[in-house]
Amino acid sequence: MKSIKYICLSLLTVGALTSCNSDDEYFDSKYQSEAISVSKVYLEDAESSVPDREVDFARLGQMIRLEGKGFMGMKKVYINGYDTYFNRAYVTDNSMLITLNSKTPVVDAEDDVRNTIRLVKDETEYTYSFTIRAASPTITDVDKTLPIAGETVTVYGTGLQEITEITLPGGVSVTSGILSDDEDGEWFSFVMPQGVTEAGSIYATGANGQARSPEYFNDMRTYIINFDGKGVLGSWSSTYGSDQYATDPLGTGRGNCIMLVPQDVIADGGVGAGTQGLYWATAGNDNAEDDWNWMTSYIDGATAVGNVGIQLDIYCPEPWSNGQLEISLQNNLSNYGYGSACTKHSDSYTNQAAVWIPWLDTTTGEITPWSTGDQWVTVTIPMNQFGAYDDPLDDDRTFQTVIDDRNSGSYRNFLIFLSNSDIELTDATIDATPFTTPIYIDNIRVVNTKTYVISDFPEDEEE
């Protein structure tokens, strides 16, 4: 239906366009020597509040309308050197429609044809300078959302070629030291500067326009616990205690952290196969901050659960290839590990657990040892991967739903721990083995993970 809408829109807009150009009429020799010129280019978008908009650039996949003269008899159209199909039925002497093919080269186009539209007939041709961009760039992930000044931050997404300027929360600008030479535009990196004190999005400007990250950069406002005074550690027979805290082994200035399995336990043989480590837990009912309603000052309670996640910083210096990091949003577990009931949706129980296994492809069963090398990185676990919220057909769940579910339980302690059960896949079983890998964790928080695509024309679009 969308293509029909475009065609109808264009016919109404152009007026003179006709869908009955016969081959004889279109290829009449008298047209082959008529001069070609382009005076304006319009973006045709039936879903926009401005469906026929004069523009000085367009993106791959978009339809444009050339306005000028001498278009009848057109044989070829080359955009950035790419031989681009056009339908003769929508060509008149003064107007023609062209859709920018997704295969059109952009930043990798040859310099002499980049940002050009070349129109060719038998006896004449015309080249018009016009900026061609890839699809709107996006930022989908940031490898360190709480970086220390001087650390390298890598940003992932699409269309991120030739990034020349980065704006961090608070208006801090970065224009030097940007590494942006990935031809596929899937990442760029920069060095975290001094003086970033606010939380929010990263804005990056490059060859394809501006991209915006989720609002979680430099955001510790909605912390759960950071082991340095934010959040309260719980203590009972099933937990590790503050006397087993670790100090940041990389000396980056992060202060206290935890080891998923403390060093003294690793030295004593680790966590045995088929068992679980003790919990690292918050104080729960004994701590007012474990009622997450206070977080709605920063993350609207109406935010869809798919746009909320748990973030934590992790340092894993050695290859990790067994054991599961498990999180539960309340202390109500009766079973553990991948595939357990507590990690699945249920109409009868409020299950709020999830596991994270970066070393295992749970679809194929392939094991790829995982580590962070010599750096801390950020891990984001979407809230809709937690048991109660993994039903894609239930679209009414919000952050407030999560809060209310926690508060309705008997014990609202947040738990993170090592589960070392067997992993039952569809076609294979991954047998558990004793776990002795050092994994450091810090800065556990709740974040808004909503992604953004910046409109090219925000001032003209309807809300």
Side-chain angles (χ1 to χ4, degrees):
M1 289 299 296
K2 187 172 181 179
S3 61
I4 294 174
K5 288 170 67 179
Y6 275 128
I7 291 169
C8 292
L9 164 71
S10 301
L11 288 172
L12 289 171
T13 302
V14 179
L17 277 179
T18 176
S19 58
C20 56
N21 283 329
S22 69
D23 283 353
D24 289 344
E25 177 188 6
Y26 183 82
F27 288 119
D28 193 315
S29 61
K30 69 181 180 180
Y31 296 126
Q32 296 306 308
S33 61
E34 285 192 354
I36 309 164
S37 67
V38 175
S39 57
K40 296 180 180 180
V41 180
Y42 290 82
L43 176 65
E44 304 296 288
D45 184 356
E47 296 182 356
S48 170
S49 60
V50 185
D52 183 56
R53 179 198 309 271
E54 185 179 354
V55 292
D56 56 13
F57 72 90
R59 297 187 181 279
L60 302 189
Q62 292 181 329
M63 177 181 284
I64 58 175
R65 176 171 65 86
L66 306 184
E67 186 175 284
K69 64 180 181 179
F71 299 137
M72 282 293 285
M74 196 69 63
K75 291 290 188 71
K76 291 283 187 178
V77 174
Y78 298 94
I79 297 178
N80 279 10
Y82 183 82
D83 189 350
T84 302
Y85 169 81
F86 64 96
N87 190 336
R88 295 196 309 271
Y90 302 108
V91 178
T92 71
D93 201 49
N94 301 112
S95 190
M96 67 183 297
L97 299 178
I98 306 169
T99 297
L100 305 185
N101 193 291
S102 62
K103 296 180 180 179
T104 304
V106 183
V107 296
D108 52 347
E110 296 294 332
D111 290 342
D112 60 340
V113 297
R114 184 173 176 180
N115 294 326
T116 64
I117 300 174
R118 180 180 167 222
L119 306 169
V120 179
K121 294 192 287 190
D122 283 346
E123 300 177 32
T124 188
E125 65 176 65
Y126 176 80
T127 299
Y128 184 73
S129 295
F130 183 76
T131 300
I132 306 297
R133 295 178 177 174
S136 295
T138 64
I139 293 175
T140 56
D141 194 20
V142 181
D143 80 333
K144 298 180 188 66
T145 64
L146 288 179
I148 305 296
E151 290 186 322
T152 297
V153 179
T154 302
V155 179
Y156 299 93
T158 62
L160 301 175
Q161 288 96 342
E162 300 180 4
I163 300 299
T164 56
E165 182 178 10
I166 298 164
T167 303
L168 303 179
V172 178
S173 178
V174 178
T175 56
S176 61
I178 300 170
L179 182 60
S180 182
D181 58 0
D182 177 38
E183 292 183 357
D184 295 326
E186 296 178 349
W187 64 271
F188 66 89
S189 66
F190 67 95
V191 176
M192 181 68 173
Q194 299 279 354
V196 181
T197 59
E198 297 186 23
S201 295
I202 298 171
Y203 290 82
T205 303
N208 299 313
Q210 192 172 65
R212 177 186 177 184
S213 78
E215 297 177 342
Y216 52 44
F217 189 72
N218 206 45
D219 192 357
M220 264 293 287
R221 297 171 300 176
T222 43
Y223 61 86
I224 297 173
I225 191 167
N226 75 344
F227 315 108
D228 280 302
K230 290 188 173 183
V232 179
L233 192 72
S235 179
W236 67 95
S237 60
S238 297
T239 66
Y240 298 121
S242 59
D243 59 333
Q244 291 168 297
Y245 281 175
T247 302
D248 174 8
L250 291 180
T252 64
R254 284 178 169 83
N256 289 329
C257 59
I258 61 171
M259 295 183 70
L260 188 59
V261 175
Q263 184 59 49
D264 60 334
V265 179
I266 290 176
D268 198 33
V271 176
T275 65
Q276 286 74 44
L278 298 183
Y279 302 142
W280 291 102
T282 60
N285 299 3
D286 296 329
N287 175 31
E289 291 176 346
D290 261 310
D291 177 351
W292 288 358
N293 274 299
W294 69 270
M295 295 186 186
T296 59
S297 296
Y298 307 101
I299 302 175
D300 193 320
T303 303
V305 72
N307 288 331
V308 183
I310 300 293
Q311 273 191 352
L312 52 90
D313 295 336
I314 187 166
Y315 168 51
C316 180
E318 299 177 9
W320 175 11
S321 58
N322 72 318
Q324 309 159 51
L325 186 156
E326 184 160 356
I327 291 174
S328 183
L329 306 184
Q330 59 175 295
N331 182 16
N332 68 342
L333 297 179
S334 57
N335 45 70
Y336 303 88
Y338 179 84
S340 63
C342 290
T343 66
K344 295 180 179 179
H345 176 82
S346 170
D347 292 330
S348 303
Y349 299 96
T350 303
N351 297 324
Q352 289 190 299
V355 296
W356 184 62
I357 317 171
W359 52 267
L360 177 65
D361 184 327
T362 56
T363 300
T364 65
E366 181 178 359
I367 295 173
T368 304
W370 185 90
S371 80
T372 67
D374 59 355
Q375 63 179 336
W376 286 89
V377 300
T378 296
V379 168
T380 305
I381 303 175
M383 202 68 78
N384 58 8
Q385 291 184 8
F386 287 75
Y389 317 113
D390 70 355
D391 183 355
L393 300 179
D394 184 356
D395 58 4
D396 295 328
R397 303 154 302 161
T398 65
F399 182 41
Q400 192 63 55
T401 306
V402 175
I403 295 170
D404 293 344
D405 286 347
R406 292 187 79 243
N407 288 344
S408 68
S410 299
Y411 307 101
R412 58 175 180 245
N413 315 79
F414 173 91
L415 312 176
I416 185 168
F417 62 99
L418 188 284
S419 176
N420 202 19
S421 57
D422 293 345
I423 301 174
E424 300 288 344
L425 304 178
T426 302
D427 298 317
T429 297
I430 310 298
D431 294 328
T433 57
F435 180 89
T436 57
T437 305
I439 297 174
Y440 299 83
I441 292 171
D442 201 3
N443 297 325
I444 305 173
R445 64 265 190 199
V446 180
V447 295
N448 188 329
T449 61
K450 179 182 177 181
T451 57
Y452 296 91
V453 176
I454 296 179
S455 170
D456 290 320
F457 313 103
E459 69 280 2
D460 294 328
E461 300 296 340
E462 297 175 352
E463 290 293 321

